Amino acid sequence: MSIGKLNGKDVRSIAWEDGRLILLDQTRLPEETVLEEQQTVEQVRESIRQLKVRGAPAIGVAGAYGLVVAMRDSTDLDRAAFLGELRKNAALLESSRPTAVNLAWALRRVIRAADQSNVTSGTELLEVVRSTAEEIHAEDIELCRRIGEHGLPLIQEGMGILTHCNAGRLATSEYGTATAPMYLAHRKGISFRVYSDESRPLLQGSRLTAWELQQAGIEVWTITDNMAAAMMQQGLVDMVIVGTDRVAANGDVANKIGTLGVAILAGYFDIPFYVACPASTVDLDTPTGEEIEIEERDPEEVTHFGLRRTAPEGVRVRNPAFDVTPHHLVTAIITDRGMIEPPYEENLRRTFGNGW
Ligand code: MRU
């Protein structure tokens, strides 16, 4: 299931083709479909930082392939030197964005695979790095498909579903997380409407979610973030499904800035608020949402709309990219291992405590 076509070929957020890492530049959507080959690890880091590739699972997969790109010319190194370089490059990639745990998780997984392998040459180590990255990529598709299966029963004929930001195919390798139940329901012939919050300041909802759902033939309505309350008040929204960048051990969830407001609204209007994510987003080492590092981005994203300045020169600006929704506002977390309900502390540990 590709997102679209370019010159007759399927387009995916991330492709690994004949040893080449190709990313769909999401900053150019929906106007242009541009694929960009990643030549160096610095370029991969920059693509993650600039949100050319974005969404928690997708940056994990891109980071893992970034290590292949980083190490492919280091096959003449001995084991110790190779592992040292690998760690250095992983740290470089990890410094691109702090909130989504999937990036650190994927990088650590590649390092662990190389560490635990008993091969000695750089060529063999590169092979371990490459096959682990491919494994993470393939797994991401399967995990999202399972999220879809577990979330599918929630979607009933004629429902209105609100989502925030983009937790869709573009944010993963396929299916998405929040959108996975939607794609599966659509495939089954169930009709429903999706309200896609615009998601200021970078408009992932209107530029990306609306675009990919429209491509798939799903009924989607773009609304600005401040319209969500009115849609709920009018009885148009039967449930909310969003993605997440990190789930803390107590069930608090970090997601795109504005998600907290949506959760509070859903609570007020008594609308179920679901969060969808794969196991790689659950971080049992972070006790609560308070300990999640929230990325603060360039003020220009707030003071400008496109290229046009929309705030006075010199004004003070805050631009946190994410917020934390406390677990008591979350109805359930839809994961690849099933639906996790409160009490989260206990149920998350029971389901994910045995590691990967
Ligand atoms: O800043 P972004 O666009 O990377 O933010 C993405 C989100 O907040 C998504 O909802 C989250 O990463 C889950 S993606 C399946």
Side-chain angles (χ1 to χ4, degrees):
M1 187 169 61
S2 73
I3 302 167
K5 297 263 183 204
L6 184 65
N7 304 328
K9 275 184 71 182
D10 285 345
V11 173
R12 292 192 157 75
S13 52
I14 301 171
W16 181 249
E17 285 171 12
D18 309 322
R20 298 182 316 141
L21 174 60
I22 320 269
L23 299 178
L24 170 61
D25 181 351
Q26 300 190 27
T27 63
R28 313 276 283 267
L29 289 171
E31 286 188 312
E32 291 173 292
T33 306
V34 176
L35 298 176
E36 194 181 89
E37 181 175 351
Q38 306 294 296
Q39 311 275 1
T40 64
V41 66
E42 289 79 16
Q43 188 185 355
V44 178
R45 182 187 184 280
E46 214 30 43
S47 295
I48 295 174
R49 207 188 58 75
Q50 289 178 15
L51 274 51
K52 289 183 175 183
V53 60
R54 42 140 308 277
I59 63 176
V61 174
Y65 281 130
L67 287 177
V68 188
V69 172
M71 300 307 297
R72 64 185 166 199
D73 294 329
S74 303
T75 48
D76 55 341
L77 297 180
D78 64 22
R79 182 179 165 90
F82 188 100
L83 292 178
E85 271 303 296
L86 186 65
R87 282 203 165 72
K88 228 171 68 194
N89 284 299
L92 177 78
L93 288 162
E94 193 175 337
S95 68
S96 56
R97 297 193 79 188
T99 306
V101 70
N102 306 60
L103 176 59
W105 169 87
L107 296 168
R108 279 179 208 140
R109 181 160 158 188
V110 174
I111 292 175
R112 198 175 54 231
D115 266 343
Q116 289 175 353
S117 69
N118 49 18
V119 298
T120 48
S121 74
T123 310
E124 291 165 308
L125 280 163
L126 179 64
E127 183 52 25
V128 174
V129 171
R130 188 194 55 76
S131 61
T132 311
E134 285 183 343
E135 206 173 276
I136 291 170
H137 191 183
E139 251 171 38
D140 183 45
I141 299 173
E142 176 56 17
L143 297 186
C144 289
R145 195 189 56 74
R146 287 191 213 155
I147 291 170
E149 276 175 3
H150 291 297
L152 177 61
L154 297 173
I155 302 186
Q156 308 292 322
E157 184 69 28
M159 264 190 170
I161 306 168
L162 186 133
T163 191
H164 190 76
C165 192
N166 174 265
R169 288 186 208 171
L170 287 163
T172 63
S173 312
E174 278 237 35
Y175 298 103
T177 58
T179 57
M182 303 178 198
Y183 284 122
L184 266 56
H186 180 65
R187 197 187 280 170
K188 284 196 109 174
I190 300 170
S191 47
F192 53 93
R193 304 175 309 282
V194 179
Y195 297 96
S196 169
D197 277 353
E198 186 180 39
S199 313
R200 273 283 282 157
L202 295 179
L203 312 177
Q204 288 92 330
S206 54
R207 289 190 306 105
L208 308 177
T209 304
W211 181 75
E212 66 162 84
L213 293 180
Q214 193 183 50
Q215 300 270 320
I218 293 175
E219 181 180 334
V220 56
W221 299 73
T222 294
I223 56 171
T224 61
D225 300 329
N226 51 359
M227 294 173 189
M231 297 301 121
M232 291 183 182
Q233 190 184 42
Q234 289 169 29
L236 294 169
V237 179
D238 298 291
M239 78 176 153
V240 175
I241 314 182
V242 295
T244 171
D245 289 80
R246 191 183 296 240
V247 179
N250 70 342
D252 292 349
V253 293
N255 193 46
K256 179 53 55 199
I257 191 76
T259 304
L260 171 61
V262 174
I264 293 170
L265 287 176
Y268 180 84
F269 288 107
D270 211 12
I271 293 167
F273 179 89
Y274 293 99
V275 175
C277 71
S280 50
T281 308
V282 178
D283 179 11
L284 296 179
D285 294 333
T286 296
T288 73
E290 264 183 55
E291 292 83 34
I292 299 175
E293 185 183 345
I294 301 295
E295 175 185 8
E296 187 88 21
R297 293 184 63 86
D298 190 339
E300 285 215 351
E301 292 176 356
V302 174
T303 56
H304 289 67
F305 208 89
L307 293 177
R308 184 167 172 260
R309 172 173 279 285
T310 53
E313 198 96 46
V315 72
R316 290 183 184 84
V317 174
R318 285 292 316 275
N319 186 16
F322 301 95
D323 57 27
V324 173
T325 298
H327 59 274
H328 66 86
L329 293 176
V330 178
T331 308
I333 306 175
I334 314 165
T335 77
D336 52 287
R337 300 189 191 174
M339 194 75 85
I340 312 294
E341 290 179 342
Y344 290 116
E345 186 91 52
E346 196 180 315
N347 291 340
L348 284 168
R349 204 158 285 283
R350 197 180 37 241
T351 312
F352 300 101
N354 58 353
W356 188 248

